[in-house]
Amino acid sequence: MNILDRYHAMEYGPAPEARNEADAWLAARDFGKALFIGGDWKAASGGKTFETSEPSSGKLLAKISDANAVDIDAAVAAATKALPKWSAASGYQRAKVLYAIGRAMQRHQRLFAVLETIDNGKPIRESRDIDVPLAIRHFIHHAGWAQALDKDFPGHKGVGVVGQIIPWNFPLLMLAWKIAPALAAGCTVVLKPAEFTPLTSILFAEICERAGVPKGVVNIVQGGPEAGGAIVNHPGIQKIAFTGSSEVGKIIRKATAGSGKKLSLELGGKSAFIVFEDADLDSAVEGLVDGIWFNQGQVCCAGSRLLVQEGIADALIAKVKTRMSRLRVGSPLDKNTDIGPLVDATQLERVKGLVAEGARQGAVCWQPDAALPSSGYYHLPTLATGVSPANILAQEEVFGPVLATMTFRNTEEAIELANNTRYGLAASVWSENVNLALHVAPQLKAGVVWVNGTNMFDAACGFGGYRESGFGREGGREGMFEYLAAKLPLGQIIKPATTSAQPVEQADGSAIDRTAKLFIGGKQVRPDGNYSLAVATAKGKLAGEVGLGSRKDIRDAVSAARACRGWPEATAYNRSQVLYYLAENLSGRAAEFAARLTELTGASAKAAREEVEQSIERLFLYAGLADKFEGRVHQPPARAVTLALHEPVGVVGIVAPDSSPLLGLISLAAPALAMGNTVVAVPSERYPLLATDLYQVIEYSDIPSGAINIVTGRSAELAGVLAKHDDVDGLWVFADAETCAQAEAESVGNLKRVWSGNGRGLDWASDEAAGDAFLRRAVEVKNVWVPYGD
Ligand code: NAD
C-alpha cells in the first residue's frame, strides 16, 4: 500500500500501551496477603482466595485473599483504634495527608491506568484520561474540605468509622469518591472493592503507606458478598456508603434499618438521553458515543434510553448507525480502541440475555458489521429501535453497550417518557435552545442533568440519584454532609404508644361535641373505616374523638399530596407569604391552642403559651427561609457551569412526636412545606386534637388543597403504610425505636429517603431543632451542567 492508498484508507495501526511495569508489579506482589488492615498486609484468616482475571483474554491475573467476618472485625478494630487521633487532627494535618495521596497517585498515574485497564477491560484512553485524573482530583479537592470543615460545617463532626463497598465499573474512581470525603471529615474507613477488580485498590493501599496515612485510617479488605455483608452488619461501624446495584442496595437498606447507621446508596440507573429537533445532531451523536458506549455501557449513569423527537428520528438514527460502524472494538490496551471487553463472562451472558429478551418483546436490535476479537468478553455496540416503553430494554439497567430508542412528539411527552422509570440518576438534554433545555431539566426526575453534554463529573459537583437510584450525594459540599453528623438536641427516648382502645372516662363538660375528621386534599373527611379514636385529657377524661386513619386514608392523602401542583410550583416568595399568613392566623388563636395544650398534656399555662409562641416563631422562621435556602453555582475545571439546584423531595410523610405535640409537628412540617414539598402528616397519636385544630387554621391560610394532609390514628401502623407507599418520596419518623426501624426496613420499595429519630425525640424547643439541618433534609440537590463556548 503506498502513502496515497494509506491516506485514503485512513486505517488505524495498532497503538498498544506498554504493560511491562504493570506486569512487573503483578509478578512482584504476594496477593495471598492482600488485606490492608491497620497498615499491615494480611492473609485472609480463613485461608481463602478468589481469582481476578483479564477480561480481554480470560487469563488469570492473581489469586487474592478473600476476607471473612473475622478479617472485617480486625479491620473495624484497626479503624476504631485510629479514629480518636485522626478525628482530633487539625484540618491542616488531614489536608496534608489527602494532598500527599493525590500527589503520590500522580507519580504513579500511568501504572494505575494500565492496571485498571488490564483488570477491568476499559479502554486505556478512558482509564488514562478520565478515571485516574478524576480520582486524583478528588483527593486534592477534598484536602481543601478538610481545612474548611470548621468554617463551612459548624456544629458538625465526622460520623466515625465508615464501611464502604464499591462496584467494579470504576474501581479506582469509586474508591476515591468514597475515601477522600471520609478522610476529609475525620472518619476512618474500611473499604471493600468489588471482587472482579481488586488491583488498583491494592496499589492505592501502597500509596497510602507512602503518603504517610496513619496506620488504621484506611483499611482495604478484599472479598465478595460475605465480606460486604460483614461490613454492613458490623456494630462498630457508624456509616455505610454503598455503590452498586439497586438489588444489593435494598438488601443493605433492610439490613441497616434500626441500627442508627448513616447510609448513602449510589445505585443503578436507566438514564434518558433526550434529543430535541433543534439539537446539533452531530454533537448529539458524539454525546451518545460517550453516553452509552463509554466503558462499554457499564456506567450507572449511561444514557441508555435515547428519546428522540419524531421529526428527526430517521436522520439521527442513520447518523448513529454510521458512527457505530466506526467504533473500534478491540484490545483495551490499544490507544485507538473505543470499546473493550465487558468485565466478565457472567456480565457478557447477562447482556446477551437482555438483548435477546428485548428482541423477543419486539425491539429491532441492530449491530454494526464488525469482527470481535477471538478471545475475551466482547459485545458489539447494539442499537435497539421500535422499543415500547414497557420493553425490558427500556426498563431494566442492561449495564452493557446497548442503546434503546424511543420517539416523542412534544416536550411534555419527552418529559413523561424520561420519567417513566423507577430510577432517577441522570439525564442529558440536547437542544440549541437553552431556554427549552433549562425548562426541561428541572422537570426530570434525576439527580444530574447534562445540557448538550453527558458524563461530566467533578469532585466539586455532587453526584447521586433519586428513587431506586438511591439517596445521598458524592462530591462537593453535599457529599461532605454524608460523612458528617449534625449535633441535634436529643430529646427523650420514645416509648411505644399504648394501644388501649377507649381508655377514657366521659367528661361532664361540653368538650365532647364533635369527632375531628381527617384533613385530605383541603377537605375534612371521615376516615374510610368509620372508626374513631378517643383522646384523653391530662386528667383521663374524654377530650374528644378523632378519625382512626387507615391504609386507604393514607393512600388518599398521598394522592392528594401528589396531585397538588400549586405548592411545589409556587415561587419561594409565594410560599413564604403563605407560611407567614399561617403564622399570623395561628397567632390569632394562640390562647385557644395554649388552653388545648394544657387540657391534653397537663402543661402549665405558661409552658403551653410558650409552646404556642415557639410554634408561631418557627413558622415565621421557615417562612423567612423559604426563599433563602438556595442552591449554588459551581465552576468545575471545564467550560461549563454547574447549577446545584435545591428541589423539593416530593411527597414527604411525617410521623410527628407526642412530645411538644404542636411544636414538634410544626418543626417538621414547616421546613418541608417551605421547600415546596407536599406533606402527609400523622400527628401525635396521643394528642392529635392539636393537629385537627391546626387544620382549621390551615383552611383559611391560602395553603393550596393537598399541600398538607393530616391523617390521625395509630402512629406505628400509619408509619408502616407511608413507608411502603411507593409514591411517598421522603419519610420523617419520630416515634419509638421499633416503629422507626420498621419504617426504614419497609422503605425499600422505592428506596425513599427516611429520616428517623431512631426512637429518640428531639428537644423541639431548642433553637438547634430548626434551620439548615431540617431544610437540607427537605431538598434534593440536582446538579445541572450547562456547557458554554462556541
Ligand atoms: P453489586 O451490587 O453486585 O456489587 C457491588 C458491591 O457490593 C461489590 O463490592 C459486591 O461484592 C458487594 N456486595 C454484593 N452483595 C453484597 C451484599 N449482600 N452485602 C454487601 N455487599 C455486597 O454491583 P456491581 O455489579 O458490582 O456494580 C454494578 C452496579 O453498580 C450497577 O447497578 C451500577 O449502576 C451501579 N453503580 C452505581 C454508581 C452510582 O454512583 N450511582 C456508580 C457505579 C456503579
Side-chain angles (χ1 to χ4, degrees):
M1 202 186 261
N2 65 30
I3 294 232
L4 200 61
D5 289 340
R6 272 185 199 280
Y7 177 78
H8 285 303
M10 284 300 258
E11 294 253 320
Y12 287 86
E17 172 74 33
R19 57 178 292 164
N20 42 343
E21 271 207 43
D23 285 335
W25 182 84
L26 281 164
R29 269 216 73 91
D30 175 4
F31 290 102
K33 283 190 179 168
L35 310 183
F36 185 63
I37 297 175
D40 292 329
W41 291 96
K42 303 214 161 129
S45 62
K48 283 210 290 190
T49 58
F50 65 89
E51 296 184 348
T52 183
S53 54
E54 195 166 345
S56 62
S57 63
K59 271 193 348 218
L60 177 71
L61 286 167
K63 290 187 179 180
I64 315 268
S65 324
D66 190 352
N68 64 14
V70 176
D71 303 309
I72 300 304
D73 250 352
V76 174
T80 307
K81 190 169 164 213
L83 183 67
K85 207 162 164 199
W86 181 248
S87 59
S90 72
Y92 174 47
Q93 281 168 315
R94 288 205 299 270
K96 281 196 290 187
V97 170
L98 280 156
Y99 180 69
I101 295 175
R103 295 290 286 153
M105 287 173 78
Q106 270 171 341
R107 288 195 291 279
H108 299 278
Q109 202 157 339
R110 197 49 78 94
L111 179 56
F112 268 117
V114 175
L115 269 182
E116 196 77 306
T117 285
I118 290 175
D119 204 13
N120 167 280
K122 59 175 66 205
I124 184 73
R125 264 193 295 131
E126 296 178 6
S127 48
R128 183 195 64 196
D129 299 344
I130 298 167
D131 294 44
V132 178
L134 252 181
I136 293 167
R137 159 118 175 103
H138 265 264
F139 283 100
I140 293 180
H141 176 79
H142 281 87
W145 281 125
Q147 259 181 297
L149 211 59
D150 293 345
K151 181 176 87 45
D152 279 66
F153 302 93
H156 287 75
K157 62 179 183 54
V159 285
V161 175
V162 178
Q164 305 180 315
I165 299 171
I166 56 173
W168 44 260
N169 58 343
F170 291 90
L172 184 69
L173 187 59
M174 292 300 105
L175 172 152
W177 283 21
K178 294 276 178 289
I179 294 186
L183 296 198
C187 302
T188 56
V189 308
V190 175
L191 176 131
K192 191 197 83 60
E195 50 278 46
F196 288 147
T197 51
L199 297 185
T200 47
S201 71
I202 295 173
L203 177 60
F204 176 82
E206 289 182 3
I207 292 286
C208 289
E209 287 181 303
R210 283 179 228 156
V213 178
K215 286 176 194 276
V217 168
V218 172
N219 303 276
I220 298 183
V221 286
Q222 308 293 341
E226 185 191 346
I231 292 176
V232 167
N233 295 310
H234 202 291
I237 284 177
Q238 283 85 46
K239 177 198 159 87
I240 297 291
F242 173 76
T243 299
S245 58
S246 299
E247 191 191 341
V248 176
K250 288 183 178 193
I251 295 174
I252 293 176
R253 167 68 287 185
K254 268 203 163 153
T256 53
S259 67
K261 286 184 182 121
K262 201 172 158 103
L263 178 65
S264 51
L265 298 175
E266 300 285 352
L267 311 176
K270 192 74 202 176
S271 300
F273 189 105
I274 309 168
V275 186
F276 285 97
E277 59 192 3
D278 64 350
D280 171 349
L281 294 196
D282 291 319
S283 300
V285 171
E286 285 315 305
L288 258 183
V289 170
D290 191 16
I292 181 63
W293 291 300
F294 174 55
N295 199 16
Q296 294 72 250
Q298 302 166 126
V299 182
C300 52
C301 52
S304 53
R305 286 186 300 145
L306 168 62
L307 310 181
V308 51
Q309 197 152 11
E310 247 172 27
I312 52 155
D314 291 345
L316 184 72
I317 298 294
K319 279 177 188 281
V320 171
K321 285 185 174 172
T322 306
R323 185 68 178 84
M324 284 172 74
S325 305
R326 296 196 183 125
L327 290 171
R328 296 174 58 82
V329 183
S331 163
L333 275 174
D334 191 314
K335 289 167 208 145
N336 294 322
T337 290
D338 296 307
I339 299 194
L342 301 189
V343 74
D344 186 71
T346 50
Q347 186 64 16
L348 178 61
E349 285 316 307
R350 187 175 169 272
V351 173
K352 282 183 179 167
L354 283 165
V355 171
E357 180 57 22
R360 205 191 59 74
Q361 294 180 6
V364 179
C365 295
W366 182 89
Q367 294 177 332
D369 189 12
L372 289 180
S374 54
S375 65
Y377 314 126
Y378 290 90
H379 192 285
L380 282 174
T382 304
L383 176 72
T385 49
V387 179
S388 68
N391 189 293
I392 195 163
L393 295 177
Q395 291 297 330
E396 289 297 316
E397 183 185 43
V398 177
F399 227 54
V402 181
L403 177 64
T405 308
M406 283 166 272
T407 58
F408 64 86
R409 281 165 298 187
N410 53 34
T411 308
E412 290 66 39
E413 204 174 86
I415 294 166
E416 203 181 309
L417 271 177
N419 289 337
N420 179 21
T421 165
R422 52 185 209 276
Y423 295 109
L425 193 52
S428 290
V429 182
W430 293 76
S431 165
E432 288 299 281
N433 178 355
V434 72
N435 299 342
L436 173 65
L438 292 181
H439 167 70
V440 171
Q443 298 184 64
L444 298 174
K445 300 251 180 301
V448 183
V449 179
W450 295 293
V451 171
N452 292 328
T454 188
N455 281 345
M456 289 182 262
F457 311 102
D458 183 52
C461 306
F463 180 88
Y466 300 2
R467 309 202 276 198
E468 289 192 42
S469 293
F471 45 77
R473 295 288 181 268
E474 295 194 296
R477 195 181 160 74
E478 54 266 38
M480 283 300 296
F481 278 115
E482 302 293 337
Y483 289 92
L484 294 168
K487 259 194 252 136
L488 285 175
L490 288 183
Q492 310 147 337
I493 292 180
I494 303 175
K495 295 201 198 90
T498 47
T499 49
S500 55
Q502 301 287 322
V504 284
E505 264 177 60
Q506 200 83 342
D508 30 4
S510 57
I512 330 157
D513 55 357
R514 60 184 276 269
T515 296
K517 296 185 183 129
L518 313 180
F519 186 61
I520 296 177
K523 294 195 191 78
Q524 299 187 26
V525 293
R526 275 183 215 294
D528 181 66
N530 253 323
Y531 285 105
S532 55
L533 192 64
V535 180
T537 66
K539 293 186 178 138
K541 306 275 181 201
L542 187 62
E545 290 186 276
V546 293
L548 184 65
S550 65
R551 177 181 304 269
K552 169 77 167 65
D553 299 311
I554 291 284
R555 277 210 300 266
D556 291 346
V558 172
S559 302
R562 178 63 66 199
C564 170
R565 300 306 315 151
W567 189 249
E569 286 170 10
T571 64
Y573 177 46
N574 184 243
R575 289 199 299 269
S576 158
Q577 284 172 296
V578 172
L579 290 174
Y580 275 128
Y581 190 37
L582 181 62
E584 208 181 293
N585 289 333
L586 180 58
S587 166
R589 291 178 58 176
E592 197 184 311
F593 273 84
R596 182 67 107 179
L597 270 168
T598 300
E599 179 200 13
L600 296 181
T601 67
S604 70
K606 180 166 171 283
R609 255 199 327 274
E610 263 171 28
E611 181 169 341
V612 178
E613 271 316 309
Q614 276 181 321
S615 303
I616 297 165
E617 186 183 330
R618 210 142 275 178
L619 278 171
F620 242 71
L621 174 77
Y622 288 113
L625 293 180
D627 58 0
K628 293 175 191 63
F629 190 69
E630 292 181 306
R632 285 167 185 248
V633 179
H634 299 299
Q635 291 173 280
R639 285 165 71 76
V641 285
T642 310
L643 314 173
L645 305 175
H646 282 179
E647 293 193 334
V649 171
V651 175
V652 174
I654 289 176
V655 179
D658 286 338
S659 63
S660 308
L662 180 66
L663 181 61
L665 175 63
I666 285 180
S667 298
L668 292 167
L673 288 170
M675 291 295 102
N677 298 285
T678 54
V679 169
V680 175
V682 175
S684 154
E685 177 171 334
R686 199 155 158 207
Y687 310 117
L689 289 174
L690 286 153
T692 57
D693 289 350
L694 189 65
Y695 68 57
Q696 296 164 17
V697 182
I698 291 169
E699 273 176 328
Y700 57 86
S701 295
D702 292 346
I703 296 186
S705 305
I708 178 157
N709 306 275
I710 294 175
V711 180
T712 47
R714 304 266 183 232
S715 300
E717 183 190 327
L718 299 180
V721 180
L722 282 167
K724 281 192 211 140
H725 199 306
D726 285 351
D727 218 17
V728 173
D729 304 294
L731 179 58
W732 301 355
V733 187
F734 283 85
D736 62 284
E738 199 187 321
T739 301
C740 291
Q742 213 171 341
E744 288 181 351
E746 288 175 347
S747 67
V748 289
N750 66 344
L751 283 173
K752 58 182 65 64
R753 289 167 41 147
V754 181
W755 174 28
S756 96
N758 290 310
R760 283 296 277 267
L762 291 183
D763 173 5
W764 300 102
S766 158
D767 285 347
E768 288 167 352
D772 285 8
F774 288 69
L775 293 168
R776 198 171 315 109
R777 288 177 164 92
V779 296
E780 293 276 10
V781 184
K782 172 184 272 175
N783 278 278
V784 180
W785 288 69
V786 188
Y788 54 79
D790 280 339

